[in-house]
Amino acid sequence: MPTYNTIMSLCAGAGLLLVVALGWMLLTDRPVVPDAWAMGFGTLGLILFATGLHMTLAWPLAGQGFPFDNIIFGEPALGFGVLLLFASFFLWKRGGVVSSGADRGRSVSALAAPVSLLVFGLGLACFAIAAAGWHYTLFAAPPEEPISGEFADYPMLEASFMSSLYVLTGIGAVLFPFVLRTRGGAMAWVAGVCWTIAGLAFLLFGALNYFTHIGLIVNTM
């Protein structure tokens, strides 16, 4: 099966964690090294953009019986990848805006406000994906897949796990425009917690899938 949601999940999780970390540093007036963050965002953004664009346009899973996975994994990865790439470019070219200064929080909020509409829309898309996952019992692993396949008789279990991650990601994304306006407070804390939990889960789940997906291929050869 031509799928690579392993590296996509890994990078999406790392990307969410980096966004939370940078936001925390800005809100708490910690020093920021823009070039380092530009490299981090750029690396993850390039991988997510390339894999997400291919999955979005080519639909490699359409002939494998999982055409909906091209939408579920490809399009959010593409959107997140583009956002990370532009954040990387901005930090590289205009990093002085976030490196220091009493008004950097206000400056970052003003600069990120237009793109926050797309982040909000991606949050709504995450809610829709989660609802589809529950309604159609998606994400269930086949019995031939190691570890995850042990729960093949309980498809709602993995559907609930993955859908919950999309809900958490969606909550953070929907709150993002309001976090920019308030520059802190309860909404920033909620968004940060949601993205931290989802980021860790996507990161660890993607790493685990390097074993489970290899095992699935071996078991079905």
Side-chain angles (χ1 to χ4, degrees):
M1 181 190 302
T3 180
Y4 29 77
N5 56 8
T6 41
I7 190 68
M8 295 168 78
S9 177
L10 203 68
C11 291
L16 288 173
L17 293 175
L18 283 187
V19 170
V20 172
L22 180 59
W24 174 77
M25 294 178 72
L26 292 174
L27 291 174
T28 56
D29 294 325
R30 309 278 175 168
V32 174
V33 181
D35 288 347
W37 289 93
M39 290 177 61
F41 285 155
T43 301
L44 299 174
L46 182 60
I47 295 172
L48 288 171
F49 171 75
T51 55
L53 182 66
H54 178 254
M55 191 172 281
T56 298
L57 298 181
W59 273 48
L61 302 178
Q64 307 298 323
F66 305 96
F68 45 82
D69 279 349
N70 296 286
I71 299 174
I72 291 172
F73 299 120
E75 296 190 21
L78 174 60
F80 192 28
V82 170
L83 290 170
L84 289 176
L85 283 177
F86 273 91
S88 173
F89 180 76
F90 171 78
L91 289 168
W92 176 52
K93 298 293 291 184
R94 299 281 304 281
V97 174
V98 300
S99 60
S100 61
D103 294 332
R104 67 177 181 173
R106 183 177 293 106
S107 299
V108 171
S109 297
L111 290 167
V115 79
S116 68
L117 181 61
L118 173 59
V119 178
F120 182 85
L122 288 173
L124 296 180
C126 285
F127 291 152
I129 291 172
W134 271 309
H135 183 76
Y136 297 107
T137 321
L138 306 178
F139 308 114
E144 294 84 6
E145 183 172 328
I147 302 177
S148 302
E150 297 295 328
F151 306 99
D153 293 333
Y154 309 96
M156 187 56 71
L157 185 62
E158 190 163 4
S160 296
F161 172 72
M162 292 300 300
S163 290
S164 297
L165 294 186
Y166 276 96
V167 168
L168 289 173
T169 306
I171 291 173
V174 166
L175 290 179
F176 183 73
F178 306 99
V179 171
L180 291 179
R181 293 188 62 183
T182 58
R183 295 192 294 278
M187 283 190 289
W189 184 87
V190 172
V193 169
C194 288
W195 278 354
T196 298
I197 296 173
L200 283 171
F202 276 121
L203 181 74
L204 296 175
F205 191 66
L208 175 67
N209 280 346
Y210 276 96
F211 173 76
T212 61
H213 285 191
I214 291 172
L216 174 62
I217 294 171
V218 172
N219 290 336
T220 55
M221 285 177 60

